[in-house]
Amino acid sequence: MEGREEVCLAEEAERLRRSGLGVDEVASRMGVDAAWVETVVSPPEDNEEITPEKD
C-alpha cells in the first residue's frame, strides 16, 4: 500500500455511502458488519439525493 494515505474506516464507509452504495453494499465491500456501517455513516436527508461521486 505504498504511496497511499491512511484512511479511517469510518471515513471510507462515509465516502462509499456518498458514492451511492447502500449500507449492505458498503459493508460487503469493506468486509464489515452492516450494523457498524449504519452507526458511522450519516443518513441521507429526506430531500437529499445520493449522487455518485466523480473521480
Side-chain angles (χ1 to χ4, degrees):
M1 294 181 83
E2 210 171 296
R4 290 187 64 180
E5 294 182 29
E6 292 184 23
V7 177
C8 173
L9 286 176
E11 291 173 352
E12 180 67 6
E14 184 70 34
R15 185 189 69 77
L16 290 170
R17 184 68 176 107
R18 284 193 318 263
S19 76
L21 296 178
V23 170
D24 290 334
E25 295 168 309
V26 172
S28 177
R29 185 170 288 189
M30 294 183 67
V32 297
D33 189 75
W36 176 81
V37 174
E38 288 178 338
T39 66
V40 297
V41 297
S42 304
E45 296 181 15
D46 291 339
N47 61 353
E48 178 184 341
E49 287 187 31
I50 296 177
T51 55
E53 289 181 347
K54 295 180 182 171
D55 292 329

